[in-house]
């Protein structure tokens, strides 16, 4: 799939890395039905690709994503009031794909990540931010609840008290507070964000497959298990990885002092 096939995204496919850019800069990359459809198409293909090693997500222009484009959605929506909004479940499934695909996903948050934009970022495995980024979930000010996984993912990232603080007050969190709270793992000067994303993605891209998938799986499910079962997942993953010649080559190089500089 190329960018020409998509109305709201720019996509670059190197064969091992898929770089997705939300591409409605004039609308601060707000999500329309078309944008959700484009994300669905792209991530459906990612699920079927064994060659891809990493997926990246960022926004064009000054914003990462301003959330749902309620003007466009309201104009297009034909759902009886009071009926269950099944389209929201579909959107949630699309967001889930960023968390569910075997390839690690990396969000480079280049500016405001608001509402569903923050919910989308939270579904990515690694989140790095520009120092210009801000974060908010203002949905309750409109009388609606974050509805594509944001309540649970924010609570897992930051703890329940912080998540309730942000969601119930609709307050804005700057990049440094987001780093302290666990919304993101790195904050860099804005002009360095692209280079930081390149470094993170390249490091993951270089890993022997599917070690990154196994590690992510162990991290995701391990805290929910007792320590013995969590260790069993790690052991089963390494039983697979230690069958690969490339892994033994890397082990030899590591033991020769070529693995990590400075140790």
């Amino acid at each position: 799939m190329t960018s020409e096939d998509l109305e709201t995204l720019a996509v670059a496919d190197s064969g091992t890395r898929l770089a997705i850019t939300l591409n409605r800069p004039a609308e601060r990359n707000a999500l329309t039905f078309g944008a959700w459809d484009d994300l669905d198409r792209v991530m459906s293909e990612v699920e079927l690709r064994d060659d891809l090693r990493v997926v990246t997500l960022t926004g064009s222009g000054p914003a990462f994503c301003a959330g749902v484009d309620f003007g466009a959605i309201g104009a297009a929506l034909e759902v009886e009031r009071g009926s269950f909004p099944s389209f929201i479940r579909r959107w949630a499934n699309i967001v889930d794909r960023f968390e569910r695909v075997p390839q690690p996903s990396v969000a480079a948050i280049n500016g405001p990540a608001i509402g569903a934009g923050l919910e989308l970022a939270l579904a990515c495995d690694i989140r790095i931010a520009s120092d210009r980024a801000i974060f908010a979930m203002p949905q309750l000010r409109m009388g609606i609840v974050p509805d594509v996984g944001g309540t649970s993912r924010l609570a897992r990232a930051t703890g329940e008290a912080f998540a309730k603080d942000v969601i119930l007050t609709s307050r804005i969190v700057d990049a440094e507070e987001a780093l302290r709270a666990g919304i993101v793992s790195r904050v860099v000067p804005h002009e360095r964000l692209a280079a930081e994303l390149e470094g993170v993605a390249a490091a993951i891209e270089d890993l022997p497959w599917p070690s990154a998938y196994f590690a992510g799986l162990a991290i995701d499910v391990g805290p929910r298990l007792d320590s013995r079962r969590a260790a069993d997942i790690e052991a089963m993953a390494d039983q697979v990885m230690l069958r690969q010649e490339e892994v033994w080559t890397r082990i030899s190089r590591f033991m020769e002092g070529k693995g990590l500089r400075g140790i």
Side-chain angles (χ1 to χ4, degrees), residues 77-93 147:
L77 194 58
E78 295 181 2
V79 177
E80 292 184 13
R81 291 187 181 182
S83 66
F84 186 80
S86 59
F87 65 92
I88 294 177
R89 293 192 66 180
R90 178 170 178 264
W91 293 353
N93 287 333
D147 52 21

Side-chain angles (χ1 to χ4, degrees), residues 132-153:
R132 298 181 188 176
I134 58 172
F135 306 84
M137 283 194 188
Q139 290 95 320
L140 281 180
R141 292 179 63 183
M142 297 177 281
I144 57 177
V145 174
D147 52 21
V148 290
T151 57
S152 59
R153 289 193 178 99

Side-chain angles (χ1 to χ4, degrees), residues 13-18 51-56 104 106 197-209 212 246 250:
D13 185 348
S14 73
T16 56
R17 184 190 311 181
L18 191 73
D51 55 334
L52 287 177
R53 298 292 178 262
V54 64
V55 176
T56 66
V106 185
L197 175 61
E198 171 62 30
V200 172
I204 296 170
E205 205 171 13
D206 184 56
L207 297 172
W209 188 253
E246 178 190 356
R250 288 177 178 241

Side-chain angles (χ1 to χ4, degrees), residues 30-226:
L31 299 166
T32 61
F33 278 121
W36 287 110
D37 288 344
D38 284 346
L39 286 169
D40 193 19
R41 292 172 63 195
V42 170
M43 296 307 291
S44 294
E45 289 196 6
V46 169
E47 288 181 332
L48 302 176
R49 299 246 330 244
D50 291 330
D51 55 334
L52 287 177
R53 298 292 178 262
V54 64
V55 176
T56 66
L57 177 67
T58 193
S60 62
F64 175 75
C65 178
V68 170
D69 187 332
F70 282 102
I73 296 295
L77 194 58
E78 295 181 2
V79 177
E80 292 184 13
R81 291 187 181 182
S83 66
F84 186 80
S86 59
F87 65 92
I88 294 177
R89 293 192 66 180
R90 178 170 178 264
W91 293 353
N93 287 333
I94 295 166
V95 173
D96 286 349
R97 283 202 171 104
F98 283 87
E99 190 173 65
R100 214 170 49 224
V101 293
Q103 300 87 352
S105 53
V106 185
I109 303 163
N110 54 298
I114 308 299
L118 176 52
E119 294 184 85
L120 183 58
L122 286 167
C124 293
D125 295 295
I126 298 174
R127 298 175 294 277
I128 60 178
S130 156
D131 56 4
R132 298 181 188 176
I134 58 172
F135 306 84
M137 283 194 188
Q139 290 95 320
L140 281 180
R141 292 179 63 183
M142 297 177 281
I144 57 177
V145 174
D147 52 21
V148 290
T151 57
S152 59
R153 289 193 178 99
L154 185 60
R156 286 203 301 270
T158 68
E160 294 176 6
F162 189 89
K164 288 178 179 178
D165 180 349
V166 170
I167 292 171
L168 296 180
T169 68
S170 301
R171 71 182 182 87
I172 294 172
V173 175
D174 65 20
E176 289 301 326
E177 185 179 8
L179 177 63
R180 294 193 301 270
I183 295 174
V184 298
S185 58
R186 307 185 191 191
V187 173
V188 298
H190 184 76
E191 61 275 10
R192 281 184 45 206
L193 182 64
E196 194 76 8
L197 175 61
E198 171 62 30
V200 172
I204 296 170
E205 205 171 13
D206 184 56
L207 297 172
W209 188 253
S211 61
Y213 167 67
F214 285 144
L217 177 65
I219 293 167
D220 287 341
V221 305
R224 301 178 179 89
L225 302 174
D226 65 78

